[in-house]
Amino acid sequence: NAGVTQTPKFQVLKTGQSMTLQCAQDMNHEYMSWYRQDPGMGLRLIHYSVGAGITDQGEVPNGYNVSRSTTEDFPLRLLSAAPSQTSVYFCASSFVGGANYGYTFGSGTRLTVV
Amino acid sequence: GQQVMQIPQYQHVQEGEDFTTYCNSSTTLSNIQWYKQRPGGHPVFLIQLVKSGEVKKQKRLTFQFGEAKKNSSLHITATQTTDVGTYFCAGPGFGSSNTGKLIFGQGTTLQVKP
């Protein structure tokens, strides 16, 4: 059971470049989310999905796009990278509801925009 | 919008001392989750609280959910060096009763001196 797999683990982009951060889970989780983590800011929700074909904005969606064509995959696209998007990005997934369920996080993608 | 605030931001303790982090929401929460992130790692789910006034224990960790379901706390008894990390609380986004849209607090970073 691989859990939540994020690729790449590290990436350096030039300002204005675009790229896609990949996220895949093999646990048949309905919920999937993307967070960014910056020092002192905690985890901020970028976009989330409650099922295939359904996505919605989180707290900091500007500059990012997502789609959820399958249950397993939830890619995050940076349209035109900016230095302010330098961060650690985490993808996470979860079952719907249940008192004992929480999000399972991937190991993260460390992105630097120069 | 909804805010989940955590205090303190940092805490340094001597090994063996107790530690408490507090989480406060601007709105009533249907449930609250707690996560731990080790340095350089990803967040790991610890527990979910659902009921008003609920108290749950995991070995030396005690989790409480306030009577009004707007605050929560995590208490660690007799800290050990393995407790080092950042502890996050998280709750459903405003207007949501499910955890598909999970909003995190800023976290409390615990350092333990051996």
Side-chain angles (χ1 to χ4, degrees), chain B residues 34 46-47 49 54-56 58 61-64 73-74:
Chain B
W34 286 91
L46 294 176
I47 207 162
L49 305 173
E54 188 171 15
V55 178
K56 286 188 176 181
Q58 290 180 350
L61 278 60
T62 301
F63 304 85
Q64 295 190 7
S73 65
L74 159 59

Side-chain angles (χ1 to χ4, degrees), chain A residues 11-31:
Chain A
Q11 183 71 49
V12 179
L13 286 179
K14 292 182 178 179
T15 298
Q17 286 185 321
S18 63
M19 80 160 294
T20 299
L21 306 185
Q22 300 293 342
C23 176
Q25 55 93 4
D26 61 357
M27 298 170 284
N28 204 30
H29 285 169
E30 296 91 346
Y31 292 164

Side-chain angles (χ1 to χ4, degrees), chain B residues 69-106:
Chain B
K69 301 184 76 173
K70 295 181 72 173
N71 58 76
S72 181
S73 65
L74 159 59
H75 179 83
I76 302 177
T77 303
T79 55
Q80 300 175 358
T81 55
T82 53
D83 296 324
V84 165
T86 301
Y87 293 85
F88 293 97
C89 64
F94 181 72
S96 172
S97 61
N98 63 56
T99 51
K101 182 180 181 181
L102 195 63
I103 304 299
F104 280 75
Q106 301 96 318

Side-chain angles (χ1 to χ4, degrees), chain B residues 40-53:
Chain B
H42 57 273
V44 175
F45 173 71
L46 294 176
I47 207 162
Q48 177 170 295
L49 305 173
V50 178
K51 300 177 183 177
S52 170

Side-chain angles (χ1 to χ4, degrees), chain A residues 31 35 37 48 99-100 103 106, chain B residues 35 37 42 48 98-100 102:
Chain A
Y31 292 164
Y35 292 89
Q37 185 171 34
Y48 68 101
N100 295 321
Y103 268 102
Chain B
Y35 291 77
Q37 183 178 25
H42 57 273
Q48 177 170 295
N98 63 56
T99 51
L102 195 63

Side-chain angles (χ1 to χ4, degrees), chain A residues 9-107:
Chain A
K9 294 191 182 303
F10 301 92
Q11 183 71 49
V12 179
L13 286 179
K14 292 182 178 179
T15 298
Q17 286 185 321
S18 63
M19 80 160 294
T20 299
L21 306 185
Q22 300 293 342
C23 176
Q25 55 93 4
D26 61 357
M27 298 170 284
N28 204 30
H29 285 169
E30 296 91 346
Y31 292 164
M32 294 188 77
S33 294
W34 275 102
Y35 292 89
R36 60 175 290 173
Q37 185 171 34
D38 304 293
M41 301 293 291
L43 293 153
R44 291 185 291 170
L45 181 63
I46 304 172
H47 286 285
Y48 68 101
S49 169
V50 297
I54 306 170
T55 64
D56 206 347
Q57 296 181 351
E59 302 168 281
V60 289
N62 293 340
Y64 307 94
N65 273 355
V66 292
S67 59
R68 183 101 180 265
S69 56
T70 66
T71 299
E72 294 78 18
D73 300 301
F74 192 43
L76 177 71
R77 283 181 288 276
L78 279 69
L79 308 174
S80 177
S84 60
Q85 293 179 306
T86 293
S87 187
V88 179
Y89 291 85
F90 288 104
C91 178
S93 70
S94 170
F95 284 119
V96 173
N100 295 321
Y101 296 124
Y103 268 102
T104 298
F105 281 78
S107 57

